[in-house]
């Protein structure tokens, strides 16, 4: 398995993590540490790596017949030869035609577009309700966070939130909006988060901790 090495001035010890979605190990080490020693240390943790790999869900390509979660429910991709290229959601089926070899890429673009539309609508709706101002809303595919917010009001989310249940997605929206009031994770921030969401956000956070990693298994 490939190992991505990252030196960090803030690192005080070697640290090994597994990115199951990309199929690579990440080795962090202090800026002046010996790379040879760090790689030897990582090799000594082969047993841990194998255990973590066994826990990873199998990767799923978004091709004809594939099942994936959409807003908390299971949807199957249904490609039909001769059908229109336009993607249509019909109950628990995502229907499309066009070139078979481009299904994955087109489904991925459809998901990102849907995520952008839904997350922007929810963000602006909640912001209006609580008298908050948003500069912009965008989506990306970060590996280490579900959302971010700048002091100027620019909010960016992981498009993969569209795969999560709506209450989890909405809790993440409220989280980023709360940062418009408190750019930290202080008690005041957590109180604002709960107030904007209108309920306890802890179950949503717990869901992401338990199931969030699995949302990165889907690719084109």
């Amino acid at each position: 398995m490939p190992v991505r090495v990252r030196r960090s001035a803030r690192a005080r010890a070697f640290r090994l993590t597994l990115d199951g979605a990309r199929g690579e190990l990440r080795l962090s080490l202090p800026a002046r540490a010996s790379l040879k020693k760090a790689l030897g240390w990582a090799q000594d943790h082969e047993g841990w790596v194998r255990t973590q790999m066994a826990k990873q869900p199998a990767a799923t390509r978004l091709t004809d017949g594939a099942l994936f979660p959409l807003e908390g429910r299971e949807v199957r991709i249904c490609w039909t030869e001769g059908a229109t290229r336009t993607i249509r959601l019909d109950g628990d089926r995502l229907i499309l035609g066009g070139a078979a070899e481009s299904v994955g890429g087109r489904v991925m673009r459809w998901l990102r577009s849907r995520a952008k539309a839904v997350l922007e609508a929810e963000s602006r709706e909640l912001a209006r309700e609580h008298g908050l101002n948003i500069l912009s809303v965008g989506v990306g595919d970060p590996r280490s966070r579900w959302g971010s917010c700048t002091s100027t009001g620019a909010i960016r989310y992981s498009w993969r939130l569209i795969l999560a249940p709506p209450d989890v997605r909405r809790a993440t929206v409220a989280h980023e909006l709360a940062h418009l009031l408190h750019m930290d994770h202080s008690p005041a921030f957590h109180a604002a988060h709960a107030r904007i969401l209108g309920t306890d956000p802890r179950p949503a956070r717990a869901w992401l901790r338990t199931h969030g990693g699995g949302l990165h298994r889907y690719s084109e």
Side-chain angles (χ1 to χ4, degrees):
M1 175 175 287
V3 178
R4 184 184 295 273
V5 177
R6 178 177 177 269
R7 293 184 180 274
S8 171
R10 294 184 295 177
R12 295 292 178 266
F14 300 147
R15 183 168 182 263
L16 196 60
T17 56
L18 173 66
D19 186 338
R22 292 186 174 180
E24 68 179 21
L25 287 169
R26 293 179 179 176
L27 174 61
S28 299
L29 62 154
R32 298 188 178 184
S34 165
L35 177 59
K36 182 177 180 180
K37 288 184 178 180
L39 290 173
W41 175 86
Q43 186 67 47
D44 290 341
H45 287 73
E46 180 181 349
W48 177 87
V49 172
R50 290 185 181 278
T51 299
Q52 297 305 308
M53 288 176 62
K55 294 179 181 179
Q56 296 292 318
T60 298
R61 295 188 62 209
L62 296 172
T63 56
D64 180 37
L67 284 169
F68 69 95
L70 177 65
E71 301 190 46
R73 70 185 192 275
E74 196 169 72
V75 170
R76 185 180 296 278
I77 298 172
C78 298
W79 174 82
T80 302
E81 186 176 1
T84 177
R85 282 175 52 89
T86 302
I87 296 177
R88 178 169 58 91
L89 181 63
D90 182 10
D92 61 355
R93 297 185 304 156
L94 196 67
I95 303 170
L96 74 161
E101 61 271 18
S102 68
V103 168
R106 287 187 286 133
V107 170
M108 185 72 79
R109 289 192 293 274
W110 183 88
L111 286 169
R112 290 179 70 108
S113 177
R114 185 180 179 94
K116 169 70 162 58
V118 170
L119 286 161
E120 180 160 20
E122 289 186 344
S123 296
R124 295 196 180 279
E125 176 190 0
L126 267 182
R128 283 194 300 270
E129 290 177 4
H130 294 274
L132 301 171
N133 295 315
I134 295 175
L135 177 64
S136 63
V137 177
V139 297
D141 194 15
R143 296 287 169 173
S144 59
R145 60 174 59 185
W146 297 105
S148 62
C149 178
T150 69
S151 58
T152 60
I155 298 176
R156 194 166 180 81
Y157 298 103
S158 166
W159 73 263
R160 294 177 188 273
L161 286 168
I162 201 65
L163 308 178
D167 59 318
V168 173
R169 182 186 68 236
R170 196 169 177 86
T172 306
V173 169
H175 181 108
E176 300 311 324
L177 291 179
H179 278 310
L180 295 174
L181 300 171
H182 305 281
M183 294 299 292
D184 54 31
H185 289 99
S186 63
F189 163 83
H190 290 297
H193 184 190
R195 184 175 68 253
I196 293 170
L197 182 60
T199 189
D200 186 354
R202 286 177 294 183
R205 290 203 302 269
W207 190 96
L208 281 174
R209 283 195 300 271
T210 302
H211 304 287
L215 301 183
H216 289 280
R217 64 185 281 197
Y218 301 96
S219 68
E220 61 180 81

